Amino acid sequence: MAQIVAAGAVLWREADGDVEIAVVHRQRYDDWSLPKGKLDEGETVPACAVREIHEETGYACVLGRFLRTVSYVHRGSSKDVHYYSAEAVSGAFVANDEVDELRWVSVASAPALLTYPDDRSVVAEFARLPADLSIVLLVRHAKAGKRSEWSGDDDLRPLSDAGWRQAAALQALLPLWSPTRVHAAPRVRCVSTVSGLAADLGVDVVLEARMSEEGFWPDEDAGLVRLLEIAADEGRVVVSSQGGVIPAVVSALADMGGLRLGEVPCKKGSAWVLAFTRPFGTWSTSDSPSRWPTLVSAHYIASPLPRP
C-alpha cells in the first residue's frame, strides 16, 4: 500500500482574551476541516505544515507543540497527517483553489462545524492545554566524527561534512518555531551546530556549562534547574547539548510533569520540541517547585534533513 505523508495545524489567534481557531471549507469535498496538505518532495513535516497553512488560509504562522498524528486509508493509500498547534501572526484569508471559506470559531464550537471525527480529536488535543506555551528546542549537536579518530582536545572536535549539512538543515528548520535566543554547551561541535541560526537571528550563542556532560552529571538537579531558568526567560529558545545529557534531562522533566515518554531517543542533529506551562508572575528558583515551568508536551524530531 502506498504511503502518503501530510501535515497541518490547529491555527489559532487571540480574540478578546480568548482563543479562536481556523476551520476551512474545501469546495472540492464540500467539507469543513483543519488546514493540511501533502509534503512536497524534499520537504520536512514541520515545513509542510507552515506552507500548507499559508497556502490554504493566507496566514503566516509560528509552530507550537506537536498535537497528534491521524492515520487512515484514502483511495487505496495509507495516509498519515501530522498536526501541530500554530499561532497566526500575520496575513488574511483570500479564497483559493482549495479553500473557498474560512471561519474563525471558538474552540468549544469548532467540533460541531468540523466534518470528520479525526479533526475533532485533534481539536480536543489542542484544547487540553493552553495555546500559548513556552517552547524550548533542545538539540543534540550534529555529527562530528568519531571521538577515537580525533587526537586533539575533545572540546574542540569540529563538525564533519555530514554534521555541517545537518547544521544547515537545522538552520532552516528551527525558525519555524520563531526562537529568539540560542544557548549551547561549551563544545565546538555544540556551538557550531547552532551558530548559523544565531547569526540569522542576530544574537550571540550563550554558553551553558550545565548543558555539557561534564557540567551536568556532577549535579543533575542544578542542570535541570538551569534548563527551567532558560525556559522561563522571555522568548523561545534553542539549546544545543550532548547525547550524554539530553535523554536524562528530557526523562527527568517528563517525570516531573507527569508525562509518560518511555524511551528517549537522541540521534545526532535531532531535536526535542519541549513545551512548558508559563510560570505565574516573576519566577525564581527559590519559589516552590509547583510554580516552576512544567513540561507538558515533548515531541522528537529524529532528523532535520528533508525527506528524500
Side-chain angles (χ1 to χ4, degrees):
M1 183 179 294
Q3 178 72 33
I4 298 173
V5 179
V10 174
L11 182 68
W12 66 274
R13 68 181 185 184
E14 291 187 357
D16 298 325
D18 204 350
V19 170
E20 294 179 331
I21 65 174
V23 179
V24 298
H25 182 262
R26 302 184 299 176
Q27 58 267 42
R28 179 181 178 184
Y29 302 104
D30 190 24
D31 62 8
W32 289 92
S33 69
L34 300 173
K36 62 181 179 295
K38 294 184 293 185
L39 268 67
D40 285 343
E41 184 176 356
E43 187 174 43
T44 61
V45 169
C48 175
V50 171
R51 175 183 56 77
E52 285 290 340
I53 289 292
H54 187 260
E55 290 179 358
E56 292 195 0
T57 72
Y59 285 90
C61 68
V62 173
L63 293 182
R65 70 182 176 101
F66 179 78
L67 297 176
R68 59 165 301 186
T69 299
V70 170
S71 301
Y72 55 92
V73 175
H74 177 69
R75 296 181 178 178
S77 297
S78 174
K79 188 171 185 178
D80 292 333
V81 187
H82 306 280
Y83 286 97
Y84 291 84
S85 168
E87 183 181 7
V89 293
S90 64
F93 174 71
V94 176
N96 54 74
D97 292 341
E98 296 184 69
V99 174
D100 61 352
E101 186 178 353
L102 179 149
R103 293 183 188 176
W104 287 102
V105 298
S106 69
V107 177
S109 63
L113 180 60
L114 289 165
T115 302
Y116 305 109
D118 283 339
D119 284 350
R120 293 193 285 272
S121 71
V122 174
V123 172
E125 173 57 27
F126 172 81
R128 188 177 62 84
L129 294 170
D132 189 18
L133 297 168
S134 297
I135 299 291
V136 174
L137 301 160
L138 184 57
V139 176
R140 183 180 178 184
H141 67 76
K143 293 181 178 180
K146 295 182 179 179
R147 184 175 301 188
S148 61
E149 297 176 357
W150 174 255
S151 59
D153 185 339
D154 189 61
D155 291 358
L156 304 179
R157 182 155 47 99
L159 297 184
S160 64
D161 289 345
W164 282 114
R165 289 193 294 273
Q166 288 181 322
L170 285 166
Q171 189 175 349
L173 177 72
L174 298 178
L176 299 175
W177 285 268
S178 194
T180 59
R181 299 176 286 135
V182 180
H183 296 228
R187 303 287 180 270
V188 165
R189 55 194 180 274
C190 295
V191 174
S192 296
T193 297
V194 293
S195 59
L197 172 65
D200 289 346
L201 297 177
V203 300
D204 294 328
V205 178
V206 179
L207 298 183
E208 295 289 348
R210 291 289 184 188
M211 292 296 101
S212 70
E213 292 171 354
E214 293 82 357
F216 178 79
W217 286 110
D219 192 341
E220 299 171 53
D221 288 344
L224 292 173
V225 167
R226 179 57 193 144
L227 190 63
L228 291 172
E229 287 178 327
I230 294 170
D233 284 345
E234 190 69 27
R236 294 177 169 190
V237 62
V238 172
V239 179
S240 177
S241 185
Q242 296 181 265
V245 174
I246 292 172
V249 167
V250 174
S251 295
L253 292 173
D255 288 344
M256 292 165 61
L259 296 180
R260 295 183 179 180
L261 295 183
E263 182 182 359
V264 178
C266 185
K267 293 183 177 182
K268 290 178 180 178
S270 64
W272 278 92
V273 181
L274 306 178
F276 296 81
T277 56
R278 296 183 182 277
F280 296 102
T282 303
W283 176 81
S284 71
T285 54
S286 63
D287 291 332
S288 166
S290 64
R291 292 192 66 250
W292 292 6
T294 300
L295 182 67
V296 291
S297 174
H299 177 63
Y300 180 65
I301 301 176
S303 173
L305 297 172
R307 292 173 61 89

